[in-house]
Amino acid sequence: MQAAGQKLTDAEFNALRDYIYNKSGIFFTERNRFQLETKIKERLDKTGCRDAFEYVKHLEDYKAGAAELDELFNTVTVNETSFFRDKSFISALEKNVIPELVQKYDMPGFKQIRVWSAASSSGEEAYTIAILLSECLKDAISRWRIRIHATDIDDNVLKRCKDGKYKSSALRNVSPSLIEKYFDRSDADTFSVKNNLKEMVVPAKCNLINPASCSAFSGVDLILIRNVLIYFDAESKKKVLKMCYENLRNGGYMFLGHSETIFGVTTGFKMVSFVNATAYRK
């Protein structure tokens, strides 16, 4: 077993990096090698594997591999998020995109909006969208079918999303009036999402480079895939963006993170500029 602080050899790093890439599309470069080295020690300790080579063989074992692969993804993925994160992004949704979608589908009979929060971590982004839609529709929301698909590859964060319980630090950007309206205080530092929001959000496991895993989220009006593509290489980005384009309804929007772009990867989308925010439209 590797001692604390011991780095992976180049051969070990390459073997582990390539395995993770082939299974998830997540590519660890030399720049974030330390992140993988730090986190993988936990899995070596848990499985009793002596080194990364033995660990990869353990993953390839059809009896143990599937469960351990889930644990590996849970360990190496980054899940930092909060409610109402990124004011310019929130403003674009609140003032432009959501009112446009509501106007588009506000017709007699069945009214529906479907949103996909891909790589949503523990659900803060998905519940933020639920709040924005509730604020826009007000009492009329009872006449709408709202589905916000909150997906991630990490089982642990999906459970937190389903539970809907958050520390006050996650709500630091939420106004007191919205906290009172949409959350119940569980204890001094914990808040629970109210049931009317939980009914809109559907947590589900999804591997973004697996077409079968993403097929359930076709025909959506809005895709939020923010701060995800930075972990993919060019080929995986192309696959994921192609999938997003195909899953969007005509006229639907996709938002990436501020540092992400589709330039040089795909030409199907049309760029739409808002105040300090950019979206891509089908």
Side-chain angles (χ1 to χ4, degrees):
M1 187 177 296
Q2 292 183 310
Q6 180 179 335
K7 294 182 178 181
L8 298 173
T9 66
D10 287 345
E12 286 179 307
F13 172 71
N14 291 339
L16 190 56
R17 177 200 63 192
D18 292 347
Y19 186 87
I20 293 172
Y21 172 71
N22 289 332
K23 292 295 183 179
S24 69
I26 299 172
F27 188 76
F28 283 88
T29 63
E30 280 294 331
R31 187 175 62 182
N32 50 24
R33 176 173 178 160
F34 177 75
Q35 176 188 339
L36 180 59
E37 288 177 332
T38 301
K39 293 190 173 186
I40 201 60
K41 295 184 189 306
E42 177 184 335
R43 299 316 312 158
L44 294 177
D45 290 342
K46 291 286 187 181
T47 58
C49 294
R50 293 169 295 178
D51 55 37
F53 295 126
E54 186 175 324
Y55 182 65
V56 170
K57 288 182 180 178
H58 180 73
L59 288 168
E60 291 172 342
D61 184 333
Y62 76 96
K63 292 181 179 179
E68 179 56 28
L69 185 60
D70 286 342
E71 294 295 338
L72 174 62
F73 288 154
N74 295 348
T75 301
V76 302
T77 49
V78 178
N79 298 302
E80 181 183 350
T81 185
S82 61
F83 286 85
F84 285 77
R85 189 180 183 186
D86 187 345
K87 290 182 179 180
S88 56
F89 159 67
I90 296 299
S91 179
L93 290 174
E94 183 178 27
K95 297 179 180 179
N96 302 100
V97 174
I98 287 178
E100 179 183 321
L101 292 176
V102 169
Q103 184 179 23
K104 180 178 181 180
Y105 296 116
D106 189 7
M107 57 188 71
F110 186 67
K111 309 173 194 288
Q112 175 177 263
I113 292 176
R114 293 182 69 215
V115 180
W116 183 13
S117 174
S120 71
S121 186
S122 43
E124 288 90 334
E125 180 179 75
Y127 286 120
T128 295
I129 303 305
I131 291 172
L132 292 176
L133 282 163
S134 297
E135 288 295 291
C136 180
L137 291 168
K138 301 188 185 309
D139 292 341
I141 198 167
S142 61
R143 300 194 294 272
W144 287 74
R145 185 175 188 269
I146 305 296
R147 285 294 177 270
I148 303 166
H149 302 282
T151 70
D152 204 280
I153 201 170
D154 184 335
D155 292 307
N156 293 331
V157 295
L158 288 172
K159 183 180 184 304
R160 287 163 55 193
C161 177
K162 184 177 181 180
D163 291 343
K165 294 183 178 181
Y166 300 94
K167 296 297 183 182
S168 59
S169 58
L171 280 71
R172 59 188 178 272
N173 297 319
V174 187
S175 68
S177 61
L178 290 181
I179 291 176
E180 182 178 358
K181 189 173 182 180
Y182 294 108
F183 296 85
D184 292 318
R185 184 184 287 273
S186 301
D187 57 43
D189 194 45
T190 306
F191 293 82
S192 298
V193 175
K194 290 188 176 180
N195 286 336
N196 60 323
L197 291 190
K198 293 183 77 171
E199 290 171 356
M200 302 181 207
V201 174
V202 185
K205 187 166 186 175
C206 179
N207 185 337
L208 292 174
I209 66 164
N210 184 337
S213 184
C214 301
S215 61
F217 315 110
S218 62
V220 295
D221 304 292
L222 173 63
I223 294 178
L224 311 174
I225 184 167
R226 306 176 68 244
N227 305 312
V228 178
L229 298 183
I230 54 175
Y231 298 105
F232 295 150
D233 68 350
E235 186 61 31
S236 296
K237 286 179 184 177
K238 188 177 295 185
K239 290 179 181 178
V240 171
L241 288 170
K242 180 176 183 291
M243 175 274 298
C244 288
Y245 187 84
E246 292 172 349
N247 280 21
L248 269 179
R249 296 174 74 176
N250 289 332
Y253 287 93
M254 177 183 72
F255 279 86
L256 306 180
H258 268 310
S259 62
E260 298 170 318
T261 179
I262 66 171
F263 181 74
V265 182
T266 180
T267 58
F269 288 98
K270 295 180 180 178
M271 189 172 73
V272 181
S273 295
F274 302 108
V275 178
N276 297 321
T278 300
Y280 299 92
R281 191 173 190 182
K282 181 174 178 179

